[in-house]
Amino acid sequence: MKNKLLYFLAVISLGFSINSCNDDRLDIQPLNILTSDQVFASEDAITAYMVSLYNAMQTEDFTFNFLGNSTDEAITKYTGQVQNIGDGTNTQWWGYGNIRNVNDLIAKLPDAKIGEISKNQIMGEAKFIRAFYYFSMVKRYGGVPIISEVQNFTGNNLEELQVPRNTEQEVYDFIAADLDEAATLLPITNVKGRATRYAALALKSRAMLYAASIAEYGSIQLDGILGIPASEAINYWQAAFDAADAVIVSGKHSLYQTYSDKAVNFQMLFLERGTNPEAIFAKYFLYPDKTHSWDRDMLPQGIKGPYGYSSEMCPTLDLVEQYEYIDGSPGTLNIGTQSSPVFYNNAPDLFLNKDPRLLGSVIVPFSSFKGNIIDLQAGLYDLGVKVEAGDYTALYNPVTHQPDMVNGTMHIVGKSGPGGGERSQTGFCLKKYLDQDLDQSLCITNRSTQPWIVMRYAEVLLNYAEAAVELGKIPEAKDKINMIRSRAGIVTLSDADITIDRVRHERNVELAFENHRWWDYRRWRISDQLLNNWWPRVLKPYYDIQQNAYRFETGNAGRYSKTFDVKVYYERIDPAELTKNPELVQNPLY
Amino acid sequence: MKNLYILPRATLCKVCSGKPLKIIKLIVLLLLLVSYNVYSGISEQQQKRITGVVTDISGNPLPGVTVLVKGTSLGTTSGPDGKFQFEISQDAKMLQFSFIGMKTQEIAINDDTSFSVIMEEESIGLEEVVVIGYGSTKKITLTGAVTSVSTKDLKSSASDNLSTRLAGKLPGLRVTQRTGEPGAFSTLYDIRGFGTPLIVVDGIVMDGSDFVRLDPHTIDQISILKDASAAVYGVKAANGVILVTTKKGEIGKPKIVYSGSYTLSKYINLPEQCNAYEFATLLTQSEINSGRSPTATTYSPDDLQKFKDGTYPSTNWFELVTRKYTTAQKNNISITGGSDRIKYFSSISILDEMGIWKSGDLTYNQYSAKTVVTGKITDNLEAEISLDGRLDKRHQAIGVSGVFETMWMHSLPTIPVYANNNPDYLSETVDGLHPLAETTSSITGYTNTSNKAFQGTLTLNYKVPFVDGLQAKLMYGYYDRVEYTKRWSRKHKFYVYDKVNDIYNNTLTRNDPSTLYGTYSPFQRSSLLGQLTYNKVVLENHNIKTTLVFEQRHDINDNLQASKQFSIDIDQFYAGLSNPTVTSSNISENENQNVIGRLNYDYLSKYLFEFGFNYSGSSKFPKGKRWGFFPYTSAGWRISEEEFFKSKLPFITNLKIRGSWGKMGDDGASTFQFLTGYNYPSGNYIINDKTVSGLGFRGMPNQNITWYTATTKNIGIDVSINNGLMNLQFDLFRRDRSGLLATRALTIPGTVGANLPQENLDEDMRRGFELVLGQSRKIGELYYDISANFTYTRSQKTYIERTPDGNSYLDWRNNTTGRWDNIGWGYNYIGQFQSQEDLNTSPIQDSQGNRTLKPGDLKYEDVNKDGLITSIDQIPISRSTVPDINFGFNGAVSYRQFDMTILIQGAANYNHTRQNYFKGPLPWNRNSLKIFMDNWHHEDIYDATSPWIPGRFPSAATRGTPPSNGWTSQFWTEDAKYVRLKSMEIGYTINKTLASKLHIQDLRIYLSGFNLLTLCEMKDVDPELLLDVSYPLTRDITFGASITF
């Protein structure tokens, strides 16, 4: 009996085994993949889709290259580093993956099972985003292939997929068309972070300004793939003017004027986390999900965060002197000469009456930031002899008139620079966008959350002014420039003062470190004049022991001059793209 | 009671769906069954007592000979005087005597009760039984490339880490130790360079992380399947298989063994860093070289002098935080014994290890327990229950391997440990990386990891009564592992003393706020196996063995992470602020099924054939692409068994040639590549001050994705001369893989915006050979066994799907089809620039007319003669970091009570390329390694115009050091070949008379060393580790004893 039972057991067990050799058990469903049907049946899921499209926009925010170092705004903290302004590969953005995703949405949205109002708004956003993507590419590469529908490889349509580049003008026109449609579909207000009608118009004014500059100052190359006929310039200036005007007349946005102190007001404009009337479109951050590391990267060495970063961009003396005095006089600093220096008992007095925007954008020597005096002393003068040292730890003994690490009572150089390590190489540190309330111990990787303003009202005013001057509309330009200057706290201009250089100058100082200058110099085709074989300058403060006052000297910052190659007016298209598509032509000189 | 034998099918179904409770119930049930049968079984038999003595040919008594009633597990072992006695049943027919190194003898019992047996020496190894996939076989009839190592070889070498014990022991198995850190278990191992192998322990697939933690005391045998013999494992077999068999109970009186050991370890191969004087010197050189005025250097000549004569202090951070020796203790007790009805083996191990920090905040403890009970339920049915549990505890200060970087680099010797030497105030170091803080839990926090694993296995073996030779086996295993990591990141402050005002400025606060992180990772695996085996001898000499197996395995992996911030330092979750962050990832589920068949045939053990297949299914692939058929075959011919051979070459006792061919698979592809749709969540964006998760775009799917296949071929020869006087084994092997994942090169333009999915397109090949030479002899009381092994293997891509590069150089460089893989590219270093003139007349390296270079900088060949050194001047300059050649030498000698083992291991044909701050001094103006004092510098280091003094390394420079100095070239690429005395052990066993006086059976004490001596051209970097910064390997000295009661 027992044996039979066991036999039975064996048979059953093996029978069971063979029986359960069953494909169904191998059908394991994924837990984290949604189907197309699921997505387009739910407004929340489409919002998730939009989130990914917004997230892919190259907003050139805090996480982007420190583009100021490629202009005359700033230099890198690494003294020995050759200041070569890129080889045309530094800011690549060949965003066709994102173009595909937005095209996919535009194609599927009409059949989505959601309300008409939502549908229109989402379509508007999609067009705005697509225009933004294409603008990111056209300003880098010139004409690129315009792909407006999802392409698929079917196995035998390879040639069909090998599309040539469109002309630069066609791309700008495509952007304009998308933005016009977006402007009609988008609401006039929207929640923070999502596009509005005025975001579309502001972007249009910027894009058209770029197109007009290319037409005006560029040249036609590669049969129009690069460049726009000069005759078209006026149309684009007008389009830029009209788009900016539409934003201005709407009255939905205004300049930020919250603090009476002009410098503080300008500083706080970039730290406003609530409703900011000046922010037309901004990218927001929230700890811990979405963060950046601006404070970690930019703080002066003396008050840096816990890890080894600081002063990634050192503002140049050249930039500092671009800021005028309040009375409109040129911004050259009054330091005297080597033989008869001007002494300042209070070092920041050197910057007295400078454009308040300077003090809102740049930390000047011995000014206070986050409750600390930012010590940027370059050395001492003792008995008329200059004493320098390489490091903050070096001490000086004013009794014996000798450097003395043990009994010294004075530091020779400042804790934030200049000198080796990661200290300022120029005598200045960046202030714009630095979060003055963030505790020093939190100035670390992925901890900063101040928003990045992608498009602000002041830029629209400047776009307007630039287009107006180019169109010969001097009074209109003057009004807008004076709006900016009044808010800044410096003297306003008369019609006679308004020239294209003056407008560009205003743009440069107002928008410094907002990653405009690199692109502006390129579209004005002046980078090769301004940045090639050019030495950035440093301001060196010295403490004179006998005078008990500061004196200043200048000199070349860094070990090497900057160079700019004209080919960089257009970026290099990744050669791998050319091998995949024989129809693509490379930009000149690459 | 007996009705319980029939398990309802429903119960089994639930079992395999992984319900732990059910399994425990089932096990309890079976335990009851076993005990019931043990008692009922014993009384049924009629017994008689037999006695005897075993001697060798010279008449010396042989202790330890296993005496068994043939065909049963009933038996005993001979005592110290060679005598044995035990009770056998009346109907027992044959006795079997076996002893390692002796020929097994069989003696008919008839009516005798007293036996005198003389054992003859065996040609070593041939009778050995080797575990293979789903079974075992005599080594002599093996046709595949299988190597095995058994307990006696593993006993020595006292490392606590199983995988390091295997290094150099198994030809073809490459083992590389990656750290000496207690509890890190990051040892890498592969078979013939094939990649991470499948690991199977007692028939159940085990993760590598569990394998390396196995308690060596529980291991009986390890086999590695290197060729087509692995193919029975189907879709998982492409990289070879490591098979582990654990110990089982043995018939006999209860035997209790205690083993204990105590180890002292010291780190090896750590580079030295500069002291304050050397640091200040290098810094001054770099400043002057970077154009700083001599008056503006950080340190004046006077400062330098004060550093040199000790007026200024210098902090030796390394000595501050590390201890000279670390210790480890290991204790194990095992009990084994049994009757012919029930046998048991039980083992408990405790391991305590300590790491290098003086603070004591680096420890590892492991507790493991295992019990196996094998019981005969009836004469035909045997049940085995194995319960195996393990608890690992690891305590680490926040800094572990990173602290070495901190010490070499961030911790300037010019900075004191405490501000103003006041121990209440840690002084601020560069980046706040303070070695003392980093290695002390009470300052910075800790990472505590506990890893609990449980495995329960039930096996039923059934001899089908009506069919002779037919056996059935059913096995169910449930494995459950939970790892819980708690990381406490504690807020701490640094200070700078302001001498002028006598105050301590808190200049830096790190880890603010304190944060506690918890990670919980449960993993479950259930395995079910049914197997039928049929063995038959036909017409006396035709041996047939067939096996049919069904197997299924289901894995579930989950993961949960949470963190909270704290305003006060209580490191428990309840005390945190109400801001928890919880994430979960890595949720995955996998199922594998296999149907396996095998047929072995041999004629007179002379002509050997094997055929088999595995029909595998994997849930990773789409319907229709899931199931694969993997056949294999092998054959062998024992020429030495042929009459003509025996008469002509009688001294060649064994000569076998064998060959194998097999196809296997690997389902290592990422899951769900065949699905369209959107990943969620993926990325996020802030809308209206809230985080909103986004969708991830999956690109084009591949409906045809499947495993890649590997075809393995192996030809081998085994020779044994004069019964082990000389043994030789030689294998030639080759593995071709096809269907490796790649993207189709008919690459669609980037403007399409999506990549083609990965497809099974690429192919590669690896081939090589293995040679093992050995000798075993016994001369009087001296016994020795030595063997040397050598493996050479290389691989190449035989087909790569790729887009041609834009230029011919890149196309040449990047198209590696048909080229050996182990080629390292770099610039051709041709010496250091000797002078400014040399610089001016040489090809331009910095695209700045060489103005950024200095004498002493590295000079490269302008291969394409265009006057510029650019990336297209790179040529092949080295081998890869993976050695082509691995070799080992094992020696075992015993003489009377003494025994000694030695293991030498090494590798060759590979390179190491220095990285980061092993390539130059003062990275980011941090500290340097001492070696860089031997550099190009000015005669007067404060005078940039004084003559250059040449040195081994280029001159020091601040961050502006020319990038060309750091380019990969022969200058930084060193030959890493090495020979290492990996372990050596000397043991002493007390003689039997003394043992019996002490009322114990056996006592052995030993002294062993690990990583004792290394010969290698490279300095500063360990040739096994090949990492510039990491926890070092250690040299261990262990004293241990093992007592059998």
Side-chain angles (χ1 to χ4, degrees), chain A residues 2-3 5-10 13-14 16-36 39-40 45 47-49 51-52 54-55 78-82 94 96-97 100-101 104 108 145 147 151-153 158 161-163 191-194 281-290 304-308 388-391 393-394 405-407 409 415 419-422 439-442 447 559-560 577 579-581, chain B residues 2 5-6 9 13 16 37 287 289-290 292 295-299 303 312 377-378 380-381 428 431-432 460 462 464 466 472 474 499-500 507-513 528 530-532 550 552 554 565 587 589-591 593 595 617-619 623 626-627 672 675-680 682 684-695 697-698 700 746-754 756 803-806 848 851-852 854 924-926 958-960:
Chain A
K2 196 178 190 178
N3 282 347
L5 283 169
L6 285 167
Y7 189 43
F8 191 36
L9 166 64
S13 57
L14 280 161
F16 157 74
S17 304
I18 306 300
N19 191 19
S20 58
C21 177
N22 183 343
D23 211 42
D24 290 346
R25 284 185 62 92
L26 299 178
D27 256 333
I28 290 171
Q29 291 306 314
L31 300 166
N32 50 1
I33 298 176
L34 300 179
T35 64
S36 220
V39 170
F40 286 94
T47 300
Y49 201 127
V51 156
S52 295
Y54 274 119
N55 196 30
Y78 304 113
T79 37
Q81 201 141 306
V82 176
W94 188 254
Y96 281 98
R100 178 187 179 89
N101 297 335
D104 183 48
K108 288 174 180 167
I147 309 292
Q151 298 174 321
N152 275 313
F153 178 59
L158 194 59
L161 301 178
Q162 291 169 345
V163 290
V191 293
K192 278 165 74 182
R194 298 185 80 150
F281 184 73
K283 181 170 179 177
Y284 295 90
F285 295 86
L286 191 66
Y287 180 80
D289 298 321
K290 197 157 201 70
K304 73 177 180 67
Y307 303 100
E388 292 180 317
D391 192 77
T393 53
M405 294 276 284
V406 176
N407 296 311
T409 53
K415 200 175 183 187
E422 289 156 29
D439 192 272
Q440 191 179 340
S441 65
L442 299 184
R447 199 58 200 246
R559 281 176 70 197
Y560 306 102
E577 290 299 325
T579 62
K580 287 190 267 184
N581 180 357
Chain B
K2 286 177 182 171
Y5 284 133
I6 307 164
R9 187 178 156 166
C13 284
C16 44
N37 276 286
E287 288 173 351
N289 292 340
S290 302
R292 192 82 70 85
T295 59
T297 53
T298 305
Y299 298 108
D303 292 334
Y312 291 166
I377 296 169
T378 70
N380 288 328
L381 180 68
E428 188 196 339
D431 306 332
L460 296 173
Y462 183 60
V464 181
F466 314 119
L474 179 67
K499 212 172 111 188
V500 182
T507 48
L508 189 60
T509 306
R510 285 188 74 215
N511 297 349
D512 185 17
L528 178 72
Q531 179 168 359
L532 279 175
F550 169 78
Q552 72 182 29
H554 191 88
Q565 297 181 343
I587 304 171
E589 217 179 330
N590 267 314
E591 167 103 8
Q593 295 182 8
V595 179
S618 167
S619 62
K623 240 185 165 66
R626 278 176 190 154
W627 288 88
F672 301 124
L675 282 183
T676 52
Y678 307 89
N679 294 331
Y680 182 83
S682 171
N684 57 49
Y685 205 68
I686 310 302
I687 289 177
N688 211 15
D689 297 327
K690 289 184 191 70
T691 307
V692 182
S693 293
L695 293 183
F697 302 94
R698 291 182 57 79
M700 300 186 204
L746 149 130
T747 345
I748 50 171
T751 47
V752 172
L756 287 175
T803 325
D805 280 285
Q848 301 276 316
R851 66 175 170 142
T852 65
K854 290 200 159 42
W924 297 277
N925 280 359
R926 270 63 153 180
T958 53
R959 172 82 187 214

Side-chain angles (χ1 to χ4, degrees), chain A residues 224-390:
Chain A
I225 289 174
L226 304 181
I228 295 172
S231 56
E232 299 286 339
I234 188 165
N235 300 331
Y236 290 112
W237 293 124
Q238 189 63 48
F241 180 90
D242 292 344
D245 190 52
V247 177
I248 295 165
V249 298
S250 76
K252 289 287 172 193
H253 293 278
S254 62
L255 291 173
Y256 181 85
Q257 309 208 54
T258 305
Y259 297 85
S260 55
D261 182 304
K262 295 293 187 185
V264 170
N265 187 65
F266 194 70
Q267 182 195 354
M268 296 310 291
L269 153 59
F270 301 98
L271 302 176
E272 179 60 62
R273 286 158 199 265
T275 308
N276 185 343
E278 186 159 345
I280 296 174
F281 184 73
K283 181 170 179 177
Y284 295 90
F285 295 86
L286 191 66
Y287 180 80
D289 298 321
K290 197 157 201 70
T291 53
H292 55 85
S293 310
W294 191 252
D295 295 282
R296 177 200 71 174
D297 295 334
M298 296 303 164
L299 277 178
Q301 171 78 12
I303 56 166
K304 73 177 180 67
Y307 303 100
Y309 298 82
S310 63
S311 294
E312 288 284 358
M313 286 201 273
C314 310
T316 59
L317 174 60
D318 311 80
L319 172 82
V320 169
E321 292 198 331
Q322 282 168 14
Y323 288 90
E324 300 159 40
Y325 286 93
I326 288 173
D327 61 6
S329 56
T332 315
L333 297 176
N334 180 22
I335 60 171
T337 62
Q338 180 71 28
S339 51
S340 65
V342 179
F343 287 99
Y344 290 87
N345 290 326
N346 177 28
D349 285 353
L350 175 63
F351 305 94
L352 219 55
N353 295 325
K354 283 282 279 183
D355 183 338
R357 285 176 293 184
L358 169 66
L359 301 177
S361 308
V362 174
I363 296 173
V364 301
F366 303 101
S367 62
S368 169
F369 187 67
K370 295 173 94 165
N372 295 273
I373 300 295
I374 306 306
D375 185 355
L376 288 158
Q377 181 168 299
L380 299 167
Y381 266 92
D382 187 23
L383 303 173
V385 177
K386 191 196 292 186
V387 182
E388 292 180 317

Side-chain angles (χ1 to χ4, degrees), chain B residues 885-955:
Chain B
I885 293 173
N886 285 269
F887 53 88
F889 173 84
N890 283 289
V893 185
S894 67
Y895 179 73
R896 299 195 176 199
Q897 262 69 51
F898 290 94
D899 60 81
M900 185 176 93
T901 56
I902 187 166
L903 167 61
I904 295 167
Q905 178 228 343
N909 276 19
Y910 71 119
N911 292 95
H912 171 67
T913 302
R914 287 173 177 248
Q915 303 293 336
N916 303 325
Y917 46 87
F918 279 69
K919 271 164 104 168
L922 306 171
W924 297 277
N925 280 359
R926 270 63 153 180
N927 198 10
S928 297
L929 302 185
K930 205 168 203 147
I931 49 172
F932 293 109
M933 288 300 287
D934 182 7
N935 67 356
W936 280 66
H937 57 274
H938 288 289
E939 192 171 26
D940 173 359
I941 61 168
Y942 285 93
D943 180 3
T945 61
S946 66
W948 286 99
I949 308 288
R952 178 180 164 202
F953 294 103
S955 60

Side-chain angles (χ1 to χ4, degrees), chain B residues 809 861-874:
Chain B
Y809 171 84
E861 189 197 351
D862 182 14
V863 177
N864 66 356
K865 310 279 180 230
D866 64 352
L868 300 170
I869 310 289
T870 56
S871 62
I872 59 172
D873 287 309
Q874 295 185 57

